[in-house]
């Protein structure tokens, strides 16, 4: 081959390769964020907090008071109060024995904890950090639903529970993953889910914003945490299985999708917001210390 022909071949391959690579890969299809919701760069955390070894299996957290994040781990009925500004554990209180505790939320005074079998615990703290007015509620959610995330909604005064397992309750069969509401007045789970998220829902959202099809069975989304944004009033739902963060409105319509880099978050389990919108996501330590990443809101 002459040098001229070889040069033309190289140029042609370069141009064709650039055109081909300009199209998103299949993995990129799982992520789309409108400009109005581009408030965080999940590739660049603004802080990382290593937790005590007792929180290696941190399973949930909530922003309790200025600078204080209340955390739980999935084997023991304790709440750990971590001061992220001082980077130290301030207090630990026991509310129950061993179990599988996955979600925690607060209304600023009362603390709520969700067990994977659907049990909800409610309590307050006395001035010296002791448990006060502990209540336990058995709900319609069961072990097969696998309750994983818990969020408090100050507008409706309800708890939202993200389920990683079966979407239906009381023997019903439902598609996808369900978000249920716990009525704090009636102390019961509402019969109908607040909303469901299925593979088809995620596929429809992504294909609406991307330019070619892909296999829907590549989508994997099993919620591990949920939080309500204090400013834009959207739900942020993370999935350790699937390494994905979905943003939805109150009706469950998907408004954004962001990847969770496994190199930064090996096993993301908890999510919460500070009042100013700063985002915190926790990860189990997987044999080492658990940790929390902070992402400042733009």
């Amino acid at each position: 081959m002459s040098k001229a022909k070889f040069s033309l071949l190289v140029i042609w391959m370069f141009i064709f390769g650039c055109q081909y690579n300009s199209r998103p890969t299949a993995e990129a299809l799982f992520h789309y964020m409108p400009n109005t919701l581009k408030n965080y760069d999940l590739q660049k955390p603004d802080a990382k907090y290593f937790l005590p070894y007792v929180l290696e299996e941190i399973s949930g957290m909530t922003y309790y008071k200025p600078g204080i994040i209340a955390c739980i781990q999935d084997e023991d009925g304790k709440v750990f109060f971590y001061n992220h500004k001082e980077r130290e554990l301030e207090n630990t209180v026991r509310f129950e024995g061993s179990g599988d505790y996955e979600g925690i939320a607060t209304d600023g005074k009362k603390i709520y904890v969700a067990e994977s079998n659907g049990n909800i615990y409610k309590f307050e703290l006395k001035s010296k950090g002791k448990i006060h007015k502990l209540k336990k509620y058995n709900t319609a959610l069961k072990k097969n639903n696998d309750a994983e995330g818990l969020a408090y909604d100050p507008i409706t005064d309800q708890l939202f529970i993200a389920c990683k397992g079966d979407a239906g309750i009381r023997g019903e069969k439902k598609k996808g993953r369900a978000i249920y509401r716990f009525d704090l007045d009636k102390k019961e789970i509402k019969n109908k889910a607040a909303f469901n998220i299925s593979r088809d829902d995620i596929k429809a959202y992504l294909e609406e914003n991307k330019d070619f099809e892909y296999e829907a069975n590549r989508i994997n989304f099993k919620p591990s945490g949920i939080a309500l944004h204090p400013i834009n009033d959207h739900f942020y739902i993370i999935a350790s299985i699937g390494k994905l963060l979905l943003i939805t409105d109150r009706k469950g319509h998907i408004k954004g999708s962001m990847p969770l880099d496994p190199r930064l978050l090996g096993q993301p389990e908890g999510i919460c917001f500070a009042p100013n919108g700063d985002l915190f996501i926790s990860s189990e330590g997987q044999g080492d210390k658990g940790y929390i990443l902070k992402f400042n809101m733009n």
Side-chain angles (χ1 to χ4, degrees):
M1 182 183 294
S2 67
K3 289 184 178 180
K5 288 183 178 180
F6 179 77
S7 297
L8 287 172
L9 178 61
V10 170
I11 293 172
W12 179 84
M13 290 177 66
F14 175 78
I15 294 173
F16 177 79
C18 288
Q19 290 176 340
Y20 179 79
N21 290 331
S22 67
R23 296 172 65 84
T25 63
E27 286 75 13
L29 284 168
F30 297 109
H31 317 303
Y32 175 78
M33 187 64 57
N35 289 331
T36 55
L37 290 175
K38 289 182 178 179
N39 303 126
Y40 307 98
D41 184 350
L42 295 189
Q43 291 295 322
K44 297 179 180 180
D46 294 279
K48 183 174 184 178
Y49 311 101
F50 287 103
L51 302 170
Y53 277 109
V54 70
L55 282 169
E56 175 189 339
E57 296 188 23
I58 181 172
S59 55
M61 61 180 181
T62 186
Y63 206 88
Y64 181 56
K65 289 182 179 180
I68 306 298
I69 298 174
C71 312
I72 54 171
Q73 55 108 319
D74 62 8
E75 294 183 347
D76 201 4
K78 294 180 179 179
V79 177
F80 303 83
F81 296 90
Y82 181 76
N83 188 323
H84 69 87
K85 293 183 178 180
E86 300 297 330
R87 295 178 178 263
E88 63 182 17
L89 191 63
E90 281 200 348
N91 189 26
T92 302
V93 297
R94 176 177 292 280
F95 65 92
E96 187 56 284
S98 60
D100 186 12
Y101 307 99
E102 297 292 344
I104 182 171
T106 183
D107 63 3
K109 183 178 181 181
K110 294 179 286 293
I111 295 175
Y112 305 92
V113 176
E115 207 168 356
S116 63
N117 61 9
N119 291 337
I120 300 291
Y121 296 84
K122 181 187 78 171
F123 55 88
E124 298 177 24
L125 294 182
K126 291 183 178 179
S127 58
K128 294 184 179 180
K130 300 295 183 181
I131 293 293
H132 180 54
K133 296 182 179 180
L134 175 65
K135 297 287 185 180
K136 177 182 176 180
Y137 306 106
N138 297 315
T139 74
L141 294 175
K142 303 303 176 186
K143 187 175 181 179
N144 61 299
N145 299 116
D146 200 359
E148 283 277 325
L150 191 67
Y152 173 74
D153 177 13
I155 294 178
T156 63
D157 192 34
Q158 295 181 117
L159 298 175
F160 283 75
I161 307 169
C163 297
K164 186 171 72 173
D166 293 347
I169 60 175
R170 299 184 176 96
E172 291 183 319
K173 299 295 182 182
K174 299 288 185 179
K175 288 184 178 181
R177 307 299 168 187
I179 311 297
Y180 278 93
R181 291 166 293 176
F182 182 78
D183 190 316
L184 289 169
D185 183 32
K186 296 181 179 180
K187 311 297 189 297
E188 64 182 16
I189 292 287
K190 290 188 176 290
N191 288 329
K192 185 179 179 181
F195 55 89
N196 291 63
I197 298 176
S198 68
R199 280 183 175 178
D200 290 340
D201 295 328
I202 299 175
K203 179 182 178 182
Y205 169 76
L206 295 172
E207 288 191 351
E208 182 181 347
N209 296 287
K210 297 294 181 178
D211 64 355
F212 63 98
E213 295 183 357
Y214 56 97
E215 295 179 7
N217 61 14
R218 295 190 64 175
I219 299 171
N220 199 2
F221 183 74
K222 295 184 177 182
S224 55
I226 183 172
L228 184 61
H229 199 286
I231 298 173
N232 66 33
D233 199 40
H234 283 40
F235 286 107
Y236 283 58
I237 309 168
I238 59 171
S240 181
I241 298 176
K243 295 296 186 292
L244 184 63
L245 186 154
L246 289 182
I247 302 174
T248 77
D249 62 17
R250 285 181 169 271
K251 294 183 178 180
H253 300 137
I254 299 173
K255 298 298 181 181
S257 171
M258 290 189 281
L260 297 176
D261 191 336
R263 295 169 296 181
L264 291 175
L265 291 158
Q267 190 170 335
E269 295 284 342
I271 180 171
C272 68
F273 293 97
N276 69 349
D278 287 347
L279 169 64
F280 297 83
I281 301 177
S282 65
S283 174
E284 290 192 8
Q286 299 176 303
D288 205 340
K289 289 183 176 182
Y291 55 91
I292 298 172
L293 298 185
K294 178 187 179 187
F295 303 90
N296 293 340
M297 182 174 179
N298 295 329

